[in-house]
Amino acid sequence: MNEVLRAEGLKKTFRLSSKQQKIERTKKRKKIAVNGVSFTAYEGEIFGLLGPNGAGKTTTLRMISTLIRPDKGDIIVAGSSAVKEPWEVRAKIGFLTSELKLEDFFTPNYMYDFFSALHGVDEKVRDSRKKRLFEKFGIDKFAEVKIANLSTGMKQKLSLVVSIVHDPSIIIFDEPTNGLDVITARAVTDFLLELKAEGKTIIVSTHIFSLVEKICDRVGIIIGGEMIRCGRTVDIMGDLSLEDRFFEIYRETVGDAE
């Protein structure tokens, strides 16, 4: 297998405000969100990051996507360093996150063209790709409707589409089906499998066990900012369901911490 992405000893610490200290129920002024996380993703596979809320999944993805800089460690993406060569990394990846907010005033047509221009996509290539993706997700019927008037599912589909306008070889999804109805969630899941079939590398962060079991070739379990287990999904599961195995690992980890 060809290695496409390698995370090496990622660590990230955040300073907590007084409000955050109350929420976290701690007197500590700093929180280690990610602590020594390492893993490798290969060409044509779906790698899942599985863990509870606050485990460090999103922080890890944000470091990979160069949105934040790790305190320690690095991410090598198709030969480029996320720390030393962030612009090169950004050209190679697509990142769909809940933090992507599309301006309500604009239309799907405008937003797709805008993001395509940001990535320097040729107009003919842009139009051909937009036609295929819009038709696939049913966005074509709403291409000139203001985003404010779109359903939640349609907004999510549009967010997915604009995150891959430049046809990246590595695509990162943070909770891609979270909050979606079953029809939209199925459309997104099927699309992830299609991208895999095209040879793309996909990294998915989620807390949904069934999604990982269905689509992920390998999985890394993150608890308390640390990578507790990492390997082929079927190997980690063994003779248990992924949910049962996760809680077995979770109890062992939290028990040791206490």
PDB file of all heavy atoms in Angstrom, residues 150-157 178-181 184:
ATOM      1  N   LEU A 150     -32.504  26.871   1.803  1.00  0.00           N
ATOM      2  CA  LEU A 150     -32.264  25.446   1.600  1.00  0.00           C
ATOM      3  C   LEU A 150     -32.500  24.671   2.885  1.00  0.00           C
ATOM      4  O   LEU A 150     -32.358  25.191   3.995  1.00  0.00           O
ATOM      5  CB  LEU A 150     -30.827  25.213   1.122  1.00  0.00           C
ATOM      6  CG  LEU A 150     -30.420  25.820  -0.216  1.00  0.00           C
ATOM      7  CD1 LEU A 150     -28.948  25.525  -0.489  1.00  0.00           C
ATOM      8  CD2 LEU A 150     -31.288  25.306  -1.351  1.00  0.00           C
ATOM      9  N   SER A 151     -32.826  23.390   2.754  1.00  0.00           N
ATOM     10  CA  SER A 151     -32.984  22.519   3.921  1.00  0.00           C
ATOM     11  C   SER A 151     -31.614  22.238   4.533  1.00  0.00           C
ATOM     12  O   SER A 151     -30.570  22.449   3.900  1.00  0.00           O
ATOM     13  CB  SER A 151     -33.638  21.201   3.514  1.00  0.00           C
ATOM     14  OG  SER A 151     -32.764  20.453   2.670  1.00  0.00           O
ATOM     15  N   THR A 152     -31.629  21.731   5.763  1.00  0.00           N
ATOM     16  CA  THR A 152     -30.365  21.390   6.434  1.00  0.00           C
ATOM     17  C   THR A 152     -29.591  20.350   5.636  1.00  0.00           C
ATOM     18  O   THR A 152     -28.372  20.456   5.466  1.00  0.00           O
ATOM     19  CB  THR A 152     -30.646  20.849   7.849  1.00  0.00           C
ATOM     20  OG1 THR A 152     -31.304  21.860   8.613  1.00  0.00           O
ATOM     21  CG2 THR A 152     -29.338  20.467   8.552  1.00  0.00           C
ATOM     22  N   GLY A 153     -30.294  19.349   5.121  1.00  0.00           N
ATOM     23  CA  GLY A 153     -29.640  18.307   4.334  1.00  0.00           C
ATOM     24  C   GLY A 153     -29.024  18.845   3.061  1.00  0.00           C
ATOM     25  O   GLY A 153     -27.912  18.458   2.689  1.00  0.00           O
ATOM     26  N   MET A 154     -29.736  19.747   2.382  1.00  0.00           N
ATOM     27  CA  MET A 154     -29.210  20.317   1.145  1.00  0.00           C
ATOM     28  C   MET A 154     -27.991  21.199   1.427  1.00  0.00           C
ATOM     29  O   MET A 154     -27.031  21.215   0.641  1.00  0.00           O
ATOM     30  CB  MET A 154     -30.299  21.114   0.436  1.00  0.00           C
ATOM     31  CG  MET A 154     -29.950  21.530  -0.990  1.00  0.00           C
ATOM     32  SD  MET A 154     -29.548  20.121  -2.074  1.00  0.00           S
ATOM     33  CE  MET A 154     -31.129  19.256  -2.107  1.00  0.00           C
ATOM     34  N   LYS A 155     -28.011  21.907   2.539  1.00  0.00           N
ATOM     35  CA  LYS A 155     -26.856  22.717   2.912  1.00  0.00           C
ATOM     36  C   LYS A 155     -25.636  21.825   3.156  1.00  0.00           C
ATOM     37  O   LYS A 155     -24.518  22.174   2.776  1.00  0.00           O
ATOM     38  CB  LYS A 155     -27.159  23.539   4.166  1.00  0.00           C
ATOM     39  CG  LYS A 155     -28.132  24.684   3.946  1.00  0.00           C
ATOM     40  CD  LYS A 155     -28.415  25.415   5.257  1.00  0.00           C
ATOM     41  CE  LYS A 155     -29.412  26.538   5.059  1.00  0.00           C
ATOM     42  NZ  LYS A 155     -29.745  27.222   6.340  1.00  0.00           N
ATOM     43  N   GLN A 156     -25.862  20.673   3.801  1.00  0.00           N
ATOM     44  CA  GLN A 156     -24.764  19.751   4.062  1.00  0.00           C
ATOM     45  C   GLN A 156     -24.203  19.186   2.766  1.00  0.00           C
ATOM     46  O   GLN A 156     -22.987  19.054   2.597  1.00  0.00           O
ATOM     47  CB  GLN A 156     -25.235  18.611   4.972  1.00  0.00           C
ATOM     48  CG  GLN A 156     -24.187  17.554   5.290  1.00  0.00           C
ATOM     49  CD  GLN A 156     -23.137  18.005   6.291  1.00  0.00           C
ATOM     50  OE1 GLN A 156     -22.969  19.195   6.518  1.00  0.00           O
ATOM     51  NE2 GLN A 156     -22.432  17.057   6.881  1.00  0.00           N
ATOM     52  N   LYS A 157     -25.104  18.852   1.829  1.00  0.00           N
ATOM     53  CA  LYS A 157     -24.656  18.354   0.531  1.00  0.00           C
ATOM     54  C   LYS A 157     -23.830  19.416  -0.197  1.00  0.00           C
ATOM     55  O   LYS A 157     -22.795  19.116  -0.799  1.00  0.00           O
ATOM     56  CB  LYS A 157     -25.853  17.952  -0.325  1.00  0.00           C
ATOM     57  CG  LYS A 157     -26.595  16.715   0.154  1.00  0.00           C
ATOM     58  CD  LYS A 157     -27.806  16.459  -0.731  1.00  0.00           C
ATOM     59  CE  LYS A 157     -28.620  15.280  -0.255  1.00  0.00           C
ATOM     60  NZ  LYS A 157     -29.815  15.071  -1.097  1.00  0.00           N
ATOM     61  N   ASN A 178     -23.449  13.748  10.799  1.00  0.00           N
ATOM     62  CA  ASN A 178     -24.023  14.209  12.063  1.00  0.00           C
ATOM     63  C   ASN A 178     -25.204  15.149  11.817  1.00  0.00           C
ATOM     64  O   ASN A 178     -25.099  16.138  11.107  1.00  0.00           O
ATOM     65  CB  ASN A 178     -22.955  14.940  12.886  1.00  0.00           C
ATOM     66  CG  ASN A 178     -23.374  15.104  14.330  1.00  0.00           C
ATOM     67  OD1 ASN A 178     -24.086  14.271  14.885  1.00  0.00           O
ATOM     68  ND2 ASN A 178     -22.934  16.182  14.957  1.00  0.00           N
ATOM     69  N   GLY A 179     -26.362  14.825  12.413  1.00  0.00           N
ATOM     70  CA  GLY A 179     -27.521  15.688  12.311  1.00  0.00           C
ATOM     71  C   GLY A 179     -28.299  15.575  11.015  1.00  0.00           C
ATOM     72  O   GLY A 179     -29.243  16.337  10.792  1.00  0.00           O
ATOM     73  N   LEU A 180     -27.935  14.636  10.151  1.00  0.00           N
ATOM     74  CA  LEU A 180     -28.615  14.495   8.863  1.00  0.00           C
ATOM     75  C   LEU A 180     -29.762  13.484   8.960  1.00  0.00           C
ATOM     76  O   LEU A 180     -29.714  12.549   9.760  1.00  0.00           O
ATOM     77  CB  LEU A 180     -27.635  14.037   7.787  1.00  0.00           C
ATOM     78  CG  LEU A 180     -26.460  14.970   7.478  1.00  0.00           C
ATOM     79  CD1 LEU A 180     -25.618  14.373   6.363  1.00  0.00           C
ATOM     80  CD2 LEU A 180     -26.950  16.362   7.089  1.00  0.00           C
ATOM     81  N   ASP A 181     -30.783  13.657   8.113  1.00  0.00           N
ATOM     82  CA  ASP A 181     -31.833  12.658   8.035  1.00  0.00           C
ATOM     83  C   ASP A 181     -31.267  11.409   7.361  1.00  0.00           C
ATOM     84  O   ASP A 181     -30.202  11.450   6.739  1.00  0.00           O
ATOM     85  CB  ASP A 181     -33.040  13.196   7.253  1.00  0.00           C
ATOM     86  CG  ASP A 181     -32.701  13.477   5.795  1.00  0.00           C
ATOM     87  OD1 ASP A 181     -32.735  12.539   4.991  1.00  0.00           O
ATOM     88  OD2 ASP A 181     -32.376  14.637   5.470  1.00  0.00           O
ATOM     89  N   THR A 184     -30.348  11.650   3.501  1.00  0.00           N
ATOM     90  CA  THR A 184     -29.143  12.435   3.205  1.00  0.00           C
ATOM     91  C   THR A 184     -27.901  11.738   3.727  1.00  0.00           C
ATOM     92  O   THR A 184     -26.859  11.717   3.061  1.00  0.00           O
ATOM     93  CB  THR A 184     -29.254  13.846   3.816  1.00  0.00           C
ATOM     94  OG1 THR A 184     -30.450  14.468   3.354  1.00  0.00           O
ATOM     95  CG2 THR A 184     -28.067  14.704   3.426  1.00  0.00           C
TER      96      THR A 184
END
